Amino acid sequence: MRRTLFSLLLKKQNLTTWEVFCVPYTATGRELARETGNRRLATVSLGRTTFDRWSSGSWYGRPRGEAAQILERMFGHPVEVLFSPAPDASESPVAVGSVATQIGSRWPSSSMLIPAGGPAGTWEITGRHCLDGTSAAVHLLPVIRRGEEVNPDDLSQDGQRDVEGFLRPARRGFIVGVEERRGDLDLYVREAASARRSGRPGPQSARTLSIPSAYLLDDLTYGIVWALTQLDDGLLADDQVLDSERHLISTYLSLPRSAPSQLLVDLSAAGSSWMGSAFCAQHIQQELANATEVPTFWTREQSGEEAAPWLFFKHKLDYLQALTRFHSASTQTVRVFCLPEGEVAQSERYERVLLLLAIALMERVGIRVRVIPKPEYSEVDGVALVPGQQAVVANWVRVPGGALWAAGSTSTRGDLRTYAAAFADAQGNDVLSGAADSASRLQALSGYLGLDWGWLTSRCRSLGEYGVAGLVRPRSRLLTVNALDETLLFLGKLTSDQ
């Protein structure tokens, strides 16, 4: 007689005793009570005799009511499946419900939907304020870590065929390696296309598939996957429109001021961001073409979601490189970010990691970053100020009135004094003041953002050594991960344990 899936999942998750099982069972009931408003869920208890009956492996009954709801949330399967014979009792099942629960509880902008009898399903990713969200196919795979790699854990022939079938389509998909460790789960992620290339050709290619241990799913790797997949899928959806409307940028560059409505073109959030950013980059370079003084810059991004384009848009990197003409042995450009404490506190940890990566990219190319915490400066224009001469306005982040961008240039004394006062205040209230070099400034910024500096630099070093493309690779010609790889290695060299 084959044992029930429920009894195998209990063993897989080290929940085989009544005392241990009751802790997550009760916690799940309380969580469901908050979500559904059903107060009875918060008080559900489980008797030892009932647990012993459920966990015997030979009881094929059906828990009902609140008990059924809790079990289905904990394990990701209907009770009809949980208390039926396991599909293949010779193969240890992936803890589908635990993976979905861990993903959803740690990163509320994600959910994994794995049908009963998985392990293949869908990874739903949602934006927070300015990205549209997307989804990808996902396949859970039991793995064991061996040194710097994790490998499949004794795949059966059916399991091997499932993996090979999952890797074949050209869609975006992810293999998620699941390793049980001391009652917890470590998750490792590799994009399907990269995993397909990494396996040795042949009838048992799925068995040779490996995932670098550097691709451990944590706030660093999740933030990268979260931002890049949304930007990439949005730009791919807009590819034809962006190509046909390229003339808009050159048309508006000939105007002294512009603020075209987003209704002008039908674009996703990613496409609108790309077009606004591309225009503003060209506008600033055009207006500063004859500047002889070193400009200072004010940047409106306040979250990882807003700052992610710095890491991935190709034109942003070309723009930063073009501005290095102002750098010399004695001068460097300064870029100010307004990051109020309230905004930082409301931001998810993975977003703060993205924000720090974007600022580290700028420090890596020689830009001196300042951070002002005063919320009253949140709506200062994105501007390049040539002191006493010119202020080049270029907004594409949180543009009022639903415009793609708002751009112009001014040399009136009143405007120049207003911008100069903001820059002076930023210098006087810089939370990174006193830090003489990039390493010190970034470490201070890490503390301000509530990130562990030792963890961050160590993880950046390991991820940078493998490269981001194996984790998630952009498909749009408008994106790149090259600068992110270099930034990860740059931060990794600053690790405190060297």
Side-chain angles (χ1 to χ4, degrees):
M1 179 182 295
R2 283 160 55 187
R3 296 177 63 81
T4 61
L5 177 62
F6 178 77
S7 67
L8 294 181
L9 290 173
L10 288 180
K11 183 177 180 181
K12 185 77 173 175
Q13 299 179 35
N14 293 322
L15 298 174
T16 53
T17 66
W18 174 72
E19 294 85 352
V20 172
F21 180 83
C22 283
V23 175
Y25 182 84
T26 303
T28 303
R30 291 171 180 166
E31 179 184 351
L32 281 170
R34 289 193 297 270
E35 292 180 7
T36 65
N38 181 356
R39 296 181 180 179
R40 291 195 301 272
L41 285 162
T43 59
V44 170
S45 60
L46 177 66
R48 184 187 295 269
T49 301
T50 301
F51 175 78
D52 290 342
R53 184 170 65 250
W54 288 356
S55 62
S56 66
S58 58
W59 185 74
Y60 300 126
R62 298 290 182 267
R64 302 188 183 279
E66 285 78 20
Q69 293 182 55
I70 294 172
L71 292 174
E72 289 176 351
R73 168 60 69 88
M74 287 180 68
F75 296 101
H77 294 286
V79 289
E80 292 80 2
V81 174
L82 287 172
F83 293 93
S84 296
D88 183 359
S90 65
E91 183 174 336
S92 181
V94 173
V96 172
S98 295
V99 172
T101 299
Q102 181 166 313
I103 293 282
S105 61
R106 185 167 181 182
W107 298 292
S109 54
S110 262
S111 61
M112 276 193 184
L113 309 176
I114 311 294
T122 305
W123 191 353
E124 298 284 348
I125 296 174
T126 60
R128 298 193 68 229
H129 303 295
C130 55
L131 290 174
D132 291 329
T134 189
S135 63
V138 67
H139 191 291
L140 306 185
L141 184 68
V143 296
I144 295 178
R145 178 170 176 171
R146 297 181 176 92
E148 297 302 313
E149 293 185 343
V150 296
N151 305 102
D153 182 13
D154 297 328
L155 278 177
S156 67
Q157 289 187 348
D158 287 343
Q160 180 183 332
R161 284 193 293 268
D162 287 345
V163 174
E164 291 169 352
F166 176 81
L167 295 178
R168 192 173 301 119
R171 69 192 171 189
R172 187 190 296 282
F174 292 95
I175 290 288
V176 176
V178 183
E179 182 185 36
E180 284 196 71
R181 190 170 59 84
R182 298 172 187 168
D184 200 359
L185 298 178
D186 280 345
L187 308 180
Y188 300 86
V189 175
R190 184 158 202 173
E191 194 169 45
S194 169
R196 182 170 60 245
R197 289 189 295 270
S198 75
R200 292 194 296 273
Q204 293 188 335
S205 59
R207 291 185 182 275
T208 66
L209 183 152
S210 67
I211 305 175
S213 59
Y215 293 169
L216 174 72
L217 190 62
D218 58 9
D219 286 310
L220 173 63
T221 49
Y222 176 75
I224 292 170
V225 170
W226 176 80
L228 181 53
T229 54
Q230 292 186 84
L231 291 171
D232 196 33
D233 289 354
L235 290 178
L236 286 174
D238 291 340
D239 186 68
Q240 188 169 2
V241 177
L242 288 172
D243 185 62
S244 63
E245 300 293 344
R246 284 180 302 175
H247 67 279
L248 283 177
I249 292 179
S250 56
T251 298
Y252 281 100
L253 281 172
S254 63
L255 302 177
R257 294 182 180 275
S258 60
S261 171
Q262 290 188 15
L263 298 177
L264 191 65
V265 286
D266 183 18
L267 293 171
S268 68
S272 296
S273 294
W274 184 90
M275 182 167 279
S277 173
F279 174 86
C280 288
Q282 293 185 43
H283 169 67
I284 289 173
Q285 290 179 74
Q286 175 179 281
E287 293 296 316
L288 295 181
N290 298 319
T292 55
E293 299 291 328
V294 178
T296 54
F297 298 83
W298 194 286
T299 300
R300 285 172 64 86
E301 290 87 345
Q302 293 187 330
S303 68
E305 192 173 24
E306 293 176 345
W310 286 105
L311 298 169
F312 302 116
F313 285 179
K314 281 184 178 179
H315 69 259
K316 302 289 280 185
L317 310 173
D318 295 337
Y319 163 70
L320 289 179
Q321 188 60 41
L323 295 178
T324 59
R325 72 182 183 88
F326 293 107
H327 298 177
S328 67
S330 58
T331 63
Q332 63 180 153
T333 56
V334 170
R335 189 170 289 270
V336 176
F337 285 77
C338 175
L339 304 179
E341 292 180 359
E343 292 294 329
V344 171
Q346 294 175 19
S347 182
E348 297 286 344
R349 188 167 182 259
Y350 65 87
E351 273 204 90
R352 285 176 268 138
V353 171
L354 287 171
L355 186 57
L356 189 141
L357 287 173
I359 291 174
L361 181 152
M362 296 175 189
E363 287 278 352
R364 182 181 63 81
V365 299
I367 297 170
R368 202 285 190 206
V369 173
R370 301 189 192 281
V371 172
I372 184 171
K374 294 184 175 182
E376 57 265 34
Y377 287 101
S378 293
E379 298 307 318
V380 170
D381 292 320
V383 66
L385 177 67
V386 182
Q389 298 180 21
Q390 181 186 21
V392 182
V393 176
N395 291 333
W396 65 274
V397 175
R398 303 191 311 278
V399 185
L404 282 167
W405 65 76
S409 182
T410 179
S411 57
T412 62
R413 292 187 178 183
D415 290 337
L416 295 181
R417 280 196 299 268
T418 298
Y419 289 124
F423 280 104
D425 205 8
Q427 183 172 355
N429 292 278
D430 182 10
V431 299
L432 312 182
S433 63
D437 54 27
S438 290
S440 300
R441 286 192 290 273
L442 291 171
Q443 186 168 4
L445 177 63
S446 176
Y448 181 71
L449 296 178
L451 301 173
D452 183 282
W453 178 246
W455 166 82
L456 180 67
T457 52
S458 176
R459 285 291 289 127
C460 285
R461 180 177 61 183
S462 60
L463 183 57
E465 288 172 352
Y466 278 93
V468 169
L471 172 72
V472 55
R473 180 192 297 270
R475 296 176 294 168
S476 170
R477 57 197 165 83
L478 304 175
L479 301 176
T480 180
V481 293
N482 293 341
L484 176 56
D485 282 340
E486 294 173 4
T487 301
L488 291 168
L489 290 171
F490 169 71
L491 276 166
K493 292 177 182 178
L494 308 180
T495 183
S496 57
D497 60 3
Q498 283 189 327

